[in-house]
mmCIF file of all heavy atoms in Angstrom:
data_model
loop_
_atom_site.group_PDB
_atom_site.id
_atom_site.type_symbol
_atom_site.label_atom_id
_atom_site.label_comp_id
_atom_site.label_asym_id
_atom_site.label_seq_id
_atom_site.Cartn_x
_atom_site.Cartn_y
_atom_site.Cartn_z
ATOM 1 N N GLY C 158 -10.842 -16.588 -19.716
ATOM 2 C CA GLY C 158 -11.822 -17.453 -20.364
ATOM 3 C C GLY C 158 -11.714 -18.892 -19.875
ATOM 4 O O GLY C 158 -12.714 -19.555 -19.598
ATOM 5 N N MET C 159 -10.458 -19.382 -19.742
ATOM 6 C CA MET C 159 -10.265 -20.762 -19.272
ATOM 7 C C MET C 159 -10.715 -20.893 -17.830
ATOM 8 O O MET C 159 -11.340 -21.893 -17.442
ATOM 9 C CB MET C 159 -8.803 -21.170 -19.402
ATOM 10 C CG MET C 159 -8.378 -21.395 -20.836
ATOM 11 S SD MET C 159 -6.614 -21.714 -20.953
ATOM 12 C CE MET C 159 -6.630 -23.505 -21.027
ATOM 13 N N LEU C 160 -10.418 -19.874 -17.006
ATOM 14 C CA LEU C 160 -10.823 -19.930 -15.606
ATOM 15 C C LEU C 160 -12.342 -19.941 -15.482
ATOM 16 O O LEU C 160 -12.890 -20.642 -14.632
ATOM 17 C CB LEU C 160 -10.258 -18.724 -14.846
ATOM 18 C CG LEU C 160 -8.794 -18.812 -14.446
ATOM 19 C CD1 LEU C 160 -8.334 -17.500 -13.849
ATOM 20 C CD2 LEU C 160 -8.565 -19.943 -13.446
ATOM 21 N N GLN C 161 -13.011 -19.172 -16.336
ATOM 22 C CA GLN C 161 -14.462 -19.161 -16.227
ATOM 23 C C GLN C 161 -15.037 -20.517 -16.655
ATOM 24 O O GLN C 161 -16.008 -20.985 -16.081
ATOM 25 C CB GLN C 161 -15.061 -17.997 -17.032
ATOM 26 C CG GLN C 161 -16.479 -17.610 -16.641
ATOM 27 C CD GLN C 161 -16.628 -17.157 -15.178
ATOM 28 O OE1 GLN C 161 -16.278 -17.886 -14.272
ATOM 29 N NE2 GLN C 161 -17.155 -15.965 -14.964
ATOM 30 N N ARG C 162 -14.412 -21.167 -17.635
ATOM 31 C CA ARG C 162 -14.828 -22.535 -17.980
ATOM 32 C C ARG C 162 -14.629 -23.464 -16.792
ATOM 33 O O ARG C 162 -15.497 -24.288 -16.462
ATOM 34 C CB ARG C 162 -14.009 -23.064 -19.163
ATOM 35 C CG ARG C 162 -14.623 -22.764 -20.498
ATOM 36 C CD ARG C 162 -13.750 -23.272 -21.622
ATOM 37 N NE ARG C 162 -13.971 -22.470 -22.810
ATOM 38 C CZ ARG C 162 -14.975 -22.667 -23.661
ATOM 39 N NH1 ARG C 162 -15.810 -23.663 -23.488
ATOM 40 N NH2 ARG C 162 -15.125 -21.871 -24.696
ATOM 41 N N ALA C 163 -13.469 -23.326 -16.130
ATOM 42 C CA ALA C 163 -13.191 -24.167 -14.969
ATOM 43 C C ALA C 163 -14.191 -23.886 -13.856
ATOM 44 O O ALA C 163 -14.638 -24.796 -13.154
ATOM 45 C CB ALA C 163 -11.766 -23.901 -14.471
ATOM 46 N N MET C 164 -14.549 -22.619 -13.718
ATOM 47 C CA MET C 164 -15.517 -22.217 -12.696
ATOM 48 C C MET C 164 -16.874 -22.873 -12.972
ATOM 49 O O MET C 164 -17.533 -23.375 -12.055
ATOM 50 C CB MET C 164 -15.633 -20.698 -12.743
ATOM 51 C CG MET C 164 -16.350 -20.073 -11.582
ATOM 52 S SD MET C 164 -15.433 -20.294 -10.061
ATOM 53 C CE MET C 164 -16.808 -20.418 -8.951
ATOM 54 N N ILE C 165 -17.268 -22.867 -14.238
ATOM 55 C CA ILE C 165 -18.540 -23.486 -14.605
ATOM 56 C C ILE C 165 -18.476 -24.994 -14.345
ATOM 57 O O ILE C 165 -19.413 -25.593 -13.828
ATOM 58 C CB ILE C 165 -18.885 -23.176 -16.080
ATOM 59 C CG1 ILE C 165 -19.183 -21.679 -16.214
ATOM 60 C CG2 ILE C 165 -20.063 -24.001 -16.558
ATOM 61 C CD1 ILE C 165 -19.277 -21.192 -17.643
ATOM 62 N N ALA C 166 -17.319 -25.577 -14.681
ATOM 63 C CA ALA C 166 -17.152 -27.010 -14.407
ATOM 64 C C ALA C 166 -17.277 -27.282 -12.916
ATOM 65 O O ALA C 166 -17.923 -28.246 -12.499
ATOM 66 C CB ALA C 166 -15.790 -27.483 -14.917
ATOM 67 N N MET C 167 -16.685 -26.423 -12.092
ATOM 68 C CA MET C 167 -16.748 -26.621 -10.645
ATOM 69 C C MET C 167 -18.185 -26.488 -10.151
ATOM 70 O O MET C 167 -18.617 -27.205 -9.254
ATOM 71 C CB MET C 167 -15.844 -25.613 -9.929
ATOM 72 C CG MET C 167 -15.725 -25.853 -8.444
ATOM 73 S SD MET C 167 -14.232 -25.129 -7.740
ATOM 74 C CE MET C 167 -14.804 -23.502 -7.368
ATOM 75 N N ALA C 168 -18.915 -25.539 -10.759
ATOM 76 C CA ALA C 168 -20.307 -25.333 -10.323
ATOM 77 C C ALA C 168 -21.181 -26.522 -10.705
ATOM 78 O O ALA C 168 -22.140 -26.835 -10.013
ATOM 79 C CB ALA C 168 -20.853 -24.050 -10.947
ATOM 80 N N LEU C 169 -20.852 -27.192 -11.818
ATOM 81 C CA LEU C 169 -21.744 -28.241 -12.315
ATOM 82 C C LEU C 169 -21.302 -29.651 -11.950
ATOM 83 O O LEU C 169 -22.016 -30.611 -12.208
ATOM 84 C CB LEU C 169 -21.872 -28.128 -13.840
ATOM 85 C CG LEU C 169 -22.455 -26.805 -14.342
ATOM 86 C CD1 LEU C 169 -22.672 -26.861 -15.834
ATOM 87 C CD2 LEU C 169 -23.752 -26.471 -13.633
ATOM 88 N N VAL C 170 -20.126 -29.772 -11.326
ATOM 89 C CA VAL C 170 -19.554 -31.106 -11.135
ATOM 90 C C VAL C 170 -20.392 -31.943 -10.166
ATOM 91 O O VAL C 170 -20.344 -33.174 -10.202
ATOM 92 C CB VAL C 170 -18.067 -30.995 -10.700
ATOM 93 C CG1 VAL C 170 -17.940 -30.524 -9.261
ATOM 94 C CG2 VAL C 170 -17.335 -32.306 -10.913
ATOM 95 N N CYS C 171 -21.185 -31.302 -9.310
ATOM 96 C CA CYS C 171 -22.064 -32.066 -8.421
ATOM 97 C C CYS C 171 -23.490 -32.141 -8.952
ATOM 98 O O CYS C 171 -24.425 -32.439 -8.204
ATOM 99 C CB CYS C 171 -22.048 -31.459 -7.021
ATOM 100 S SG CYS C 171 -20.442 -31.596 -6.243
ATOM 101 N N GLU C 172 -23.640 -31.846 -10.229
ATOM 102 C CA GLU C 172 -24.930 -31.935 -10.910
ATOM 103 C C GLU C 172 -26.050 -31.236 -10.137
ATOM 104 O O GLU C 172 -27.021 -31.871 -9.714
ATOM 105 C CB GLU C 172 -25.284 -33.403 -11.182
ATOM 106 C CG GLU C 172 -24.309 -33.997 -12.181
ATOM 107 C CD GLU C 172 -24.357 -35.523 -12.212
ATOM 108 O OE1 GLU C 172 -25.129 -36.104 -11.428
ATOM 109 O OE2 GLU C 172 -23.636 -36.097 -13.026
ATOM 110 N N PRO C 173 -25.947 -29.935 -9.965
ATOM 111 C CA PRO C 173 -26.963 -29.204 -9.215
ATOM 112 C C PRO C 173 -28.261 -29.104 -10.009
ATOM 113 O O PRO C 173 -28.274 -29.308 -11.224
ATOM 114 C CB PRO C 173 -26.337 -27.823 -9.037
ATOM 115 C CG PRO C 173 -25.464 -27.660 -10.235
ATOM 116 C CD PRO C 173 -24.915 -29.039 -10.514
ATOM 117 N N LYS C 174 -29.334 -28.764 -9.277
ATOM 118 C CA LYS C 174 -30.616 -28.592 -9.952
ATOM 119 C C LYS C 174 -30.751 -27.215 -10.557
ATOM 120 O O LYS C 174 -31.593 -26.997 -11.418
ATOM 121 C CB LYS C 174 -31.752 -28.827 -8.951
ATOM 122 C CG LYS C 174 -31.840 -30.271 -8.500
ATOM 123 C CD LYS C 174 -33.066 -30.500 -7.653
ATOM 124 C CE LYS C 174 -33.180 -31.979 -7.307
ATOM 125 N NZ LYS C 174 -34.272 -32.227 -6.356
ATOM 126 N N VAL C 175 -29.974 -26.281 -10.064
ATOM 127 C CA VAL C 175 -30.024 -24.942 -10.652
ATOM 128 C C VAL C 175 -28.636 -24.299 -10.608
ATOM 129 O O VAL C 175 -27.899 -24.434 -9.635
ATOM 130 C CB VAL C 175 -31.074 -24.046 -9.953
ATOM 131 C CG1 VAL C 175 -30.820 -23.928 -8.466
ATOM 132 C CG2 VAL C 175 -31.106 -22.648 -10.574
ATOM 133 N N LEU C 176 -28.297 -23.620 -11.714
ATOM 134 C CA LEU C 176 -27.053 -22.858 -11.781
ATOM 135 C C LEU C 176 -27.415 -21.378 -11.716
ATOM 136 O O LEU C 176 -28.241 -20.900 -12.501
ATOM 137 C CB LEU C 176 -26.316 -23.150 -13.088
ATOM 138 C CG LEU C 176 -25.059 -22.304 -13.335
ATOM 139 C CD1 LEU C 176 -23.943 -22.706 -12.383
ATOM 140 C CD2 LEU C 176 -24.584 -22.437 -14.772
ATOM 141 N N ILE C 177 -26.810 -20.687 -10.757
ATOM 142 C CA ILE C 177 -27.028 -19.245 -10.657
ATOM 143 C C ILE C 177 -25.757 -18.565 -11.157
ATOM 144 O O ILE C 177 -24.695 -18.700 -10.553
ATOM 145 C CB ILE C 177 -27.328 -18.836 -9.204
ATOM 146 C CG1 ILE C 177 -28.592 -19.546 -8.721
ATOM 147 C CG2 ILE C 177 -27.486 -17.324 -9.093
ATOM 148 C CD1 ILE C 177 -28.817 -19.457 -7.222
ATOM 149 N N ALA C 178 -25.871 -17.887 -12.302
ATOM 150 C CA ALA C 178 -24.699 -17.253 -12.905
ATOM 151 C C ALA C 178 -24.821 -15.744 -12.723
ATOM 152 O O ALA C 178 -25.724 -15.128 -13.273
ATOM 153 C CB ALA C 178 -24.607 -17.619 -14.381
ATOM 154 N N ASP C 179 -23.923 -15.172 -11.920
ATOM 155 C CA ASP C 179 -23.985 -13.754 -11.588
ATOM 156 C C ASP C 179 -22.991 -12.989 -12.465
ATOM 157 O O ASP C 179 -21.803 -13.001 -12.204
ATOM 158 C CB ASP C 179 -23.659 -13.579 -10.100
ATOM 159 C CG ASP C 179 -23.913 -12.157 -9.621
ATOM 160 O OD1 ASP C 179 -24.195 -11.286 -10.467
ATOM 161 O OD2 ASP C 179 -23.841 -11.922 -8.404
ATOM 162 N N GLU C 180 -23.486 -12.368 -13.509
ATOM 163 C CA GLU C 180 -22.650 -11.635 -14.467
ATOM 164 C C GLU C 180 -21.458 -12.477 -14.923
ATOM 165 O O GLU C 180 -20.314 -12.057 -14.835
ATOM 166 C CB GLU C 180 -22.114 -10.335 -13.836
ATOM 167 C CG GLU C 180 -23.177 -9.402 -13.300
ATOM 168 C CD GLU C 180 -23.655 -8.380 -14.311
ATOM 169 O OE1 GLU C 180 -23.304 -8.526 -15.506
ATOM 170 O OE2 GLU C 180 -24.387 -7.464 -13.922
ATOM 171 N N PRO C 181 -21.707 -13.687 -15.430
ATOM 172 C CA PRO C 181 -20.583 -14.601 -15.678
ATOM 173 C C PRO C 181 -19.668 -14.159 -16.803
ATOM 174 O O PRO C 181 -18.574 -14.702 -16.945
ATOM 175 C CB PRO C 181 -21.285 -15.914 -16.040
ATOM 176 C CG PRO C 181 -22.587 -15.490 -16.621
ATOM 177 C CD PRO C 181 -22.993 -14.267 -15.854
ATOM 178 N N THR C 182 -20.083 -13.193 -17.620
ATOM 179 C CA THR C 182 -19.245 -12.842 -18.775
ATOM 180 C C THR C 182 -18.771 -11.403 -18.742
ATOM 181 O O THR C 182 -18.050 -10.966 -19.628
ATOM 182 C CB THR C 182 -20.033 -13.058 -20.083
ATOM 183 O OG1 THR C 182 -21.215 -12.254 -20.045
ATOM 184 C CG2 THR C 182 -20.414 -14.498 -20.254
ATOM 185 N N THR C 183 -19.156 -10.650 -17.703
ATOM 186 C CA THR C 183 -18.871 -9.214 -17.691
ATOM 187 C C THR C 183 -17.377 -8.916 -17.688
ATOM 188 O O THR C 183 -16.930 -7.932 -18.281
ATOM 189 C CB THR C 183 -19.538 -8.571 -16.463
ATOM 190 O OG1 THR C 183 -20.904 -8.954 -16.476
ATOM 191 C CG2 THR C 183 -19.457 -7.077 -16.494
ATOM 192 N N ALA C 184 -16.595 -9.765 -17.016
ATOM 193 C CA ALA C 184 -15.167 -9.472 -16.912
ATOM 194 C C ALA C 184 -14.374 -10.059 -18.084
ATOM 195 O O ALA C 184 -13.164 -9.950 -18.119
ATOM 196 C CB ALA C 184 -14.628 -10.023 -15.588
ATOM 197 N N LEU C 185 -15.057 -10.682 -19.024
ATOM 198 C CA LEU C 185 -14.336 -11.375 -20.094
ATOM 199 C C LEU C 185 -14.312 -10.557 -21.383
ATOM 200 O O LEU C 185 -15.139 -9.670 -21.589
ATOM 201 C CB LEU C 185 -15.010 -12.723 -20.370
ATOM 202 C CG LEU C 185 -15.140 -13.667 -19.172
ATOM 203 C CD1 LEU C 185 -15.918 -14.907 -19.569
ATOM 204 C CD2 LEU C 185 -13.777 -14.038 -18.643
ATOM 205 N N ASP C 186 -13.371 -10.894 -22.242
ATOM 206 C CA ASP C 186 -13.315 -10.267 -23.555
ATOM 207 C C ASP C 186 -14.562 -10.620 -24.364
ATOM 208 O O ASP C 186 -15.151 -11.690 -24.175
ATOM 209 C CB ASP C 186 -12.074 -10.770 -24.310
ATOM 210 C CG ASP C 186 -10.897 -9.852 -24.083
ATOM 211 O OD1 ASP C 186 -11.124 -8.653 -23.851
ATOM 212 O OD2 ASP C 186 -9.759 -10.332 -24.147
ATOM 213 N N VAL C 187 -14.951 -9.725 -25.281
ATOM 214 C CA VAL C 187 -16.224 -9.918 -25.982
ATOM 215 C C VAL C 187 -16.311 -11.245 -26.729
ATOM 216 O O VAL C 187 -17.350 -11.900 -26.717
ATOM 217 C CB VAL C 187 -16.526 -8.755 -26.957
ATOM 218 C CG1 VAL C 187 -17.244 -7.646 -26.227
ATOM 219 C CG2 VAL C 187 -15.287 -8.236 -27.616
ATOM 220 N N THR C 188 -15.224 -11.643 -27.374
ATOM 221 C CA THR C 188 -15.319 -12.893 -28.133
ATOM 222 C C THR C 188 -15.450 -14.088 -27.189
ATOM 223 O O THR C 188 -16.164 -15.052 -27.482
ATOM 224 C CB THR C 188 -14.095 -13.089 -29.044
ATOM 225 O OG1 THR C 188 -12.919 -12.848 -28.281
ATOM 226 C CG2 THR C 188 -14.114 -12.131 -30.214
ATOM 227 N N VAL C 189 -14.780 -14.025 -26.035
ATOM 228 C CA VAL C 189 -14.870 -15.107 -25.053
ATOM 229 C C VAL C 189 -16.252 -15.118 -24.412
ATOM 230 O O VAL C 189 -16.826 -16.167 -24.137
ATOM 231 C CB VAL C 189 -13.783 -14.937 -23.973
ATOM 232 C CG1 VAL C 189 -13.822 -16.082 -22.988
ATOM 233 C CG2 VAL C 189 -12.414 -14.848 -24.615
ATOM 234 N N GLN C 190 -16.788 -13.915 -24.195
ATOM 235 C CA GLN C 190 -18.131 -13.758 -23.650
ATOM 236 C C GLN C 190 -19.158 -14.610 -24.411
ATOM 237 O O GLN C 190 -19.913 -15.373 -23.816
ATOM 238 C CB GLN C 190 -18.522 -12.291 -23.831
ATOM 239 C CG GLN C 190 -19.065 -11.617 -22.618
ATOM 240 C CD GLN C 190 -19.214 -10.123 -22.853
ATOM 241 O OE1 GLN C 190 -20.041 -9.706 -23.645
ATOM 242 N NE2 GLN C 190 -18.405 -9.331 -22.169
ATOM 243 N N ALA C 191 -19.140 -14.471 -25.719
ATOM 244 C CA ALA C 191 -20.103 -15.193 -26.546
ATOM 245 C C ALA C 191 -19.923 -16.701 -26.385
ATOM 246 O O ALA C 191 -20.900 -17.451 -26.322
ATOM 247 C CB ALA C 191 -19.939 -14.782 -28.004
ATOM 248 N N GLN C 192 -18.663 -17.152 -26.287
ATOM 249 C CA GLN C 192 -18.410 -18.591 -26.137
ATOM 250 C C GLN C 192 -18.953 -19.112 -24.818
ATOM 251 O O GLN C 192 -19.562 -20.190 -24.760
ATOM 252 C CB GLN C 192 -16.905 -18.873 -26.196
ATOM 253 C CG GLN C 192 -16.294 -18.528 -27.541
ATOM 254 C CD GLN C 192 -14.782 -18.704 -27.546
ATOM 255 O OE1 GLN C 192 -14.230 -19.481 -26.783
ATOM 256 N NE2 GLN C 192 -14.111 -17.973 -28.409
ATOM 257 N N ILE C 193 -18.734 -18.351 -23.748
ATOM 258 C CA ILE C 193 -19.172 -18.798 -22.423
ATOM 259 C C ILE C 193 -20.701 -18.833 -22.363
ATOM 260 O O ILE C 193 -21.301 -19.770 -21.817
ATOM 261 C CB ILE C 193 -18.594 -17.881 -21.326
ATOM 262 C CG1 ILE C 193 -17.070 -17.994 -21.273
ATOM 263 C CG2 ILE C 193 -19.200 -18.179 -19.963
ATOM 264 C CD1 ILE C 193 -16.532 -19.300 -20.743
ATOM 265 N N LEU C 194 -21.357 -17.837 -22.944
ATOM 266 C CA LEU C 194 -22.823 -17.822 -22.941
ATOM 267 C C LEU C 194 -23.370 -19.030 -23.676
ATOM 268 O O LEU C 194 -24.311 -19.691 -23.224
ATOM 269 C CB LEU C 194 -23.344 -16.545 -23.597
ATOM 270 C CG LEU C 194 -23.205 -15.271 -22.781
ATOM 271 C CD1 LEU C 194 -23.799 -14.098 -23.530
ATOM 272 C CD2 LEU C 194 -23.877 -15.423 -21.423
ATOM 273 N N GLN C 195 -22.780 -19.324 -24.817
ATOM 274 C CA GLN C 195 -23.247 -20.470 -25.583
ATOM 275 C C GLN C 195 -23.047 -21.762 -24.804
ATOM 276 O O GLN C 195 -23.914 -22.633 -24.791
ATOM 277 C CB GLN C 195 -22.500 -20.529 -26.926
ATOM 278 C CG GLN C 195 -23.004 -21.628 -27.837
ATOM 279 C CD GLN C 195 -22.718 -21.307 -29.295
ATOM 280 O OE1 GLN C 195 -22.970 -20.209 -29.773
ATOM 281 N NE2 GLN C 195 -22.162 -22.269 -29.996
ATOM 282 N N LEU C 196 -21.905 -21.835 -24.109
ATOM 283 C CA LEU C 196 -21.616 -23.026 -23.304
ATOM 284 C C LEU C 196 -22.663 -23.206 -22.203
ATOM 285 O O LEU C 196 -23.197 -24.308 -21.999
ATOM 286 C CB LEU C 196 -20.220 -22.893 -22.696
ATOM 287 C CG LEU C 196 -19.836 -23.976 -21.689
ATOM 288 C CD1 LEU C 196 -19.637 -25.298 -22.404
ATOM 289 C CD2 LEU C 196 -18.583 -23.587 -20.934
ATOM 290 N N ILE C 197 -22.987 -22.114 -21.503
ATOM 291 C CA ILE C 197 -23.971 -22.215 -20.422
ATOM 292 C C ILE C 197 -25.326 -22.659 -20.989
ATOM 293 O O ILE C 197 -25.991 -23.533 -20.435
ATOM 294 C CB ILE C 197 -24.095 -20.868 -19.675
ATOM 295 C CG1 ILE C 197 -22.807 -20.580 -18.899
ATOM 296 C CG2 ILE C 197 -25.281 -20.881 -18.716
ATOM 297 C CD1 ILE C 197 -22.773 -19.241 -18.203
ATOM 298 N N GLY C 198 -25.706 -22.068 -22.132
ATOM 299 C CA GLY C 198 -26.967 -22.452 -22.768
ATOM 300 C C GLY C 198 -26.983 -23.928 -23.134
ATOM 301 O O GLY C 198 -27.959 -24.639 -22.857
ATOM 302 N N ASP C 199 -25.885 -24.397 -23.736
ATOM 303 C CA ASP C 199 -25.797 -25.807 -24.137
ATOM 304 C C ASP C 199 -25.930 -26.735 -22.939
ATOM 305 O O ASP C 199 -26.657 -27.726 -22.972
ATOM 306 C CB ASP C 199 -24.452 -26.076 -24.824
ATOM 307 C CG ASP C 199 -24.391 -25.458 -26.208
ATOM 308 O OD1 ASP C 199 -25.443 -24.963 -26.671
ATOM 309 O OD2 ASP C 199 -23.306 -25.446 -26.809
ATOM 310 N N LEU C 200 -25.197 -26.407 -21.856
ATOM 311 C CA LEU C 200 -25.196 -27.273 -20.682
ATOM 312 C C LEU C 200 -26.573 -27.313 -20.048
ATOM 313 O O LEU C 200 -27.007 -28.343 -19.537
ATOM 314 C CB LEU C 200 -24.153 -26.782 -19.667
ATOM 315 C CG LEU C 200 -22.706 -27.005 -20.087
ATOM 316 C CD1 LEU C 200 -21.767 -26.184 -19.222
ATOM 317 C CD2 LEU C 200 -22.341 -28.485 -20.004
#
Side-chain angles (χ1 to χ4, degrees):
Chain C
M159 288 174 98
L160 281 174
Q161 199 60 304
R162 270 178 207 277
M164 193 66 213
I165 292 169
M167 187 158 88
L169 299 186
V170 73
C171 295
E172 294 164 358
K174 292 187 176 173
V175 57
L176 174 70
I177 300 167
D179 189 352
E180 304 269 11
T182 58
T183 308
L185 303 176
D186 268 332
V187 273
T188 48
V189 183
Q190 229 171 68
Q192 296 175 26
I193 295 290
L194 286 182
Q195 185 155 313
L196 173 70
I197 292 176
D199 288 352
L200 289 165

